[in-house]
Amino acid sequence: MEQAFDEFLAAEPKHWLVGRTGDHINSVVNENRSAELPADAPLLPRLESSSTPDVLAFGPFPDATWFLPTYILLGNDPRFAFNVVQNVGDVDDDGGPFNRATFTLTLKEVLSDAVLSSVTSGQLHPVPDVQPVVKLAVPITDSEGRLTVRTVTGTTASVSGTSFTVTFELSGALVKAAYVHLTRSGELRLEFEPTYSGYQTTLVTAPDTGFPVHGPIFQGFQFEVFGDGGNTGGVPFEPSLIDRIGGYVFFPCTARYRRDLKVGLNFHTDAHRSRFTITAEGMTRPIIDVNDLNNFAGQRSEFRELTTLGDISTRYPSLQRVFFGQASGTVIAVPDAYGILVTEQGALAALDSIVDESPTTLSGCRFHFTFTAGPMADPIDLARLRADVTGIPEAVGRTLRVALPGGLDSRTPSSLQGFPGGQVAFADGDGTNIQVGVDISDDRPTPAATLVNLFLQQLASPGPAPLFGTVAVRLDDIFPHPVRSQLLLNLRRTAHSGDLLTTRQPGPPPSALAANRGPLHLKLLQCADVRDGQVPAPIVPLGGMVLEAGQTTTLQGVGAGTVVEVSRMLEVAVPLPKAEMLKFLAFHTHTVQEVQHPLTTNAAGLNFAAEGVSTIEVEITLIANPGDPVPTLTLSPSHTIDFVHVSLPVDSAVTGLDSTVVLTVNTTSGARTVSMAHDFVDKPILVVTSSTIH
């Protein structure tokens, strides 16, 4: 009978049957005169359908139901990978690279909605011995322009429980087609043909000679099979022996069923994007776009300038350019300028005085400035940019992240103009910050102490910043063109982070409490609500309100959003007294205790003859060091400039050198004295004019 049944299946194949796996089992008759499996038969489902697809109503024991599992993709698949390899020397027919790819994803067996809705009680059992067979159907356009579908059978591996991975090996044009479908068109499809074990219920008859015969006979037997393995619904079949000629038998079989699953854009997400990779010339990196598959993939930056937002500098005044990372989804906002960073610790600026061992030095020391420069990006501009990028075409199907440049681009030198009297060095700081170092030493005609005071004056300049330069900022290590931003070292134009805390206040009307967390006074310029990622109008001007160190103030007109952003700058006096400078600049004296500082008088602009002056004797008394004698200087028509070096504490040479100057003016009619106060740090040269001596 087994041979006859095999011949029957070969002649009249059934789509749900793969083949017989064992010898037939004769049915037994129950009290209802119906055929059923013997009690000692192995527990397998019978392939007659229930009224619901995916369900085989005849369970292994009472009140139990076999079901056919269906399959789903994981929302965030930790094992997903689309890894492309381009080997040296492999060239496709069109002269481009020959791509090979390994595509791995995870699938999970689940109960279909049909099963869940139809089975309300009893036990559910997945059909036994399930072996998933999965094919990837790839729509592809052939060389003649016709759209065809090519399939690739995958290799499965169990993960745990009801989950398993399937891996497809792709090559040539299939790689590009699959990548485009995964990231753009979403037309990939998975075709399932799982197999499982079951009984095929069969009516077997052996017609006698002369008995009417319907259909072919195999080895003297005729077969009528029932059901389709649960692929479709139908009235459950219960074989009755009444009015039947012949008997029912059950053939152990391997059955199969078919399912389809559209992949769509399930993997075109932020969680999976970095796992589309390409390996070429010993380097592995994320796939940026389909051009990586069309061309031989060398090093290539993922960033391109974002133009869909229009004129960046007009729309966001504190920014100059915006770049889009096609693989990572990172949007890098390049600030218009970098400036001294102000945090809750104050302005990150320091001045160190250090011994200069050179025997030829004028003052016996050198000075080292250290600045942490941060991006001067208005927080309101950044909030508006974060809101705006959600609506650009590049944001479809993904979440974009706005960031600032990650420090310096070491391939392009940075510079500081406006101060030729120092040596400047640049280095990466933490995160988005940059370290700037300036060394001033006695390697020039002008003493270092004088140069450092000039530098300090320029730091506090109220006009256009005289200490300016450019920094090259980093997008990634291979972006082909320099991206530059201004560098401004000025206390009146600064970058800010963590120095101000805003808290929404309860009760109408909405408001916010702004707290100055740092040691420096802040000038508040404007504020705005950020609500659900948006910056609703209006932006509230604050008119340069001064918020003193450690103090709080209430901001009206905001507080209805989730966050309140505030534009701010330092409050710096005009002019800034030298003693006040130390509030903004940490001054450290190392091994230097004293420096040689010049005290200079200049009467080159005085007409000695017209004034009737023969000589002028200059006596200087240092207020901070009254006990240190200063030699008397003498000015005359033939010697209009005179100076003397004095040994001073470093602090005095930097913070201020208040002095009392007594001029003894010798004329033909006698001598007279003129007394005045002068700071030789603020004004290193005392200029003597006609008005000075009268």
Side-chain angles (χ1 to χ4, degrees), residues 514-543:
N516 185 345
R517 304 172 65 193
L520 302 174
H521 299 343
L522 298 176
K523 183 182 292 185
L524 309 185
L525 306 177
Q526 58 184 9
C527 62
D529 277 321
V530 178
R531 184 186 309 152
D532 299 328
Q534 303 293 319
V535 183
I539 294 175
V540 179
L542 298 175

Side-chain angles (χ1 to χ4, degrees), residues 612 614-615 665-672:
S614 57
T615 60
V665 183
N666 297 306
T667 68
T668 56
S669 58
R672 65 178 185 274

Side-chain angles (χ1 to χ4, degrees), residues 15 18 80 82 105-106 143 221 257 288 337 346 479 496 498 537 561 616 637 668 689 692:
H15 67 84
V18 178
F80 168 80
F82 190 88
L105 52 84
T106 306
S143 58
F221 296 98
Y257 61 99
I288 295 169
F479 189 77
H496 293 260
I616 301 175
T668 56
T689 64
T692 307

Side-chain angles (χ1 to χ4, degrees), residues 465-481:
L467 297 174
F468 62 91
T470 59
V471 290
V473 297
R474 181 182 182 276
L475 303 182
D476 59 21
D477 293 331
I478 50 180
F479 189 77
H481 308 294

Side-chain angles (χ1 to χ4, degrees), residues 270-292:
D270 299 331
H272 302 101
R273 193 166 290 110
S274 63
R275 285 176 274 165
F276 289 86
T277 66
I278 187 164
T279 300
E281 300 178 356
M283 174 198 67
T284 299
R285 62 169 173 82
I287 298 174
I288 295 169
D289 54 34
V290 74
N291 289 328
D292 280 339

Side-chain angles (χ1 to χ4, degrees), residues 83-96:
N83 300 324
V84 179
V85 176
Q86 292 179 353
N87 292 321
V88 176
D90 284 355
V91 180
D92 210 342
D93 294 338
D94 61 1

Side-chain angles (χ1 to χ4, degrees), residues 599-603 618 620 633 635 640-643 685-686 688:
L599 307 180
T600 304
T601 57
N602 184 342
V618 182
I620 302 173
L633 307 178
L635 306 176
T640 57
I641 299 176
D642 201 1
F643 67 91
I685 299 174
L686 171 61
V688 179

Side-chain angles (χ1 to χ4, degrees), residues 80-82 103 105 136 170 175-188 263-269 276:
F80 168 80
F82 190 88
F103 173 29
L105 52 84
L136 181 69
L170 310 174
V175 176
K176 177 182 174 182
Y179 176 78
V180 170
H181 287 306
L182 286 168
T183 59
R184 293 185 185 176
S185 57
E187 295 301 321
L188 283 188
V263 177
L265 296 175
N266 190 76
F267 301 112
H268 186 48
T269 67
F276 289 86

